[in-house]
Amino acid sequence: SGVNYASRFPESVLQQVRLQDDGIEVEARFICELALEQYLRGEALEPEQAQPVYIRDEVAWKKLPGRE
């Protein structure tokens, strides 16, 4: 669980954390609940505007030898 790394979170992230319980197991339904909250607040995007958000993005990317 990402909660195990809370001590490493930037302050801006910690300010958004509502509940921290090391005993909670993450389930897909939690993401659905969060999405519904955003939708009801009018924060939904059209599907063609949605973009994935990568936590690590290119940090773990390693180029193969001989490739640009």
Side-chain angles (χ1 to χ4, degrees):
S1 171
V3 174
N4 296 332
Y5 299 97
S7 64
R8 299 182 190 179
F9 291 176
E11 185 61 33
S12 60
V13 172
L14 290 173
Q15 291 174 1
Q16 297 180 48
V17 175
R18 287 188 257 162
L19 172 67
Q20 181 174 324
D21 183 343
D22 297 339
I24 292 178
E25 291 294 322
V26 178
E27 297 179 19
R29 67 183 175 91
F30 297 147
I31 301 300
C32 294
E33 292 170 9
L34 292 171
L36 178 59
E37 287 178 19
Q38 288 185 318
Y39 175 78
L40 294 175
R41 288 193 306 261
E43 299 174 3
L45 296 173
E46 294 296 325
E48 58 272 6
Q49 294 177 319
Q51 295 291 318
V53 176
Y54 298 101
I55 294 173
R56 293 187 64 179
D57 201 12
E58 293 187 24
V59 173
W61 176 256
K62 293 183 181 178
K63 294 181 181 177
L64 296 175
R67 295 191 179 186
E68 294 184 22

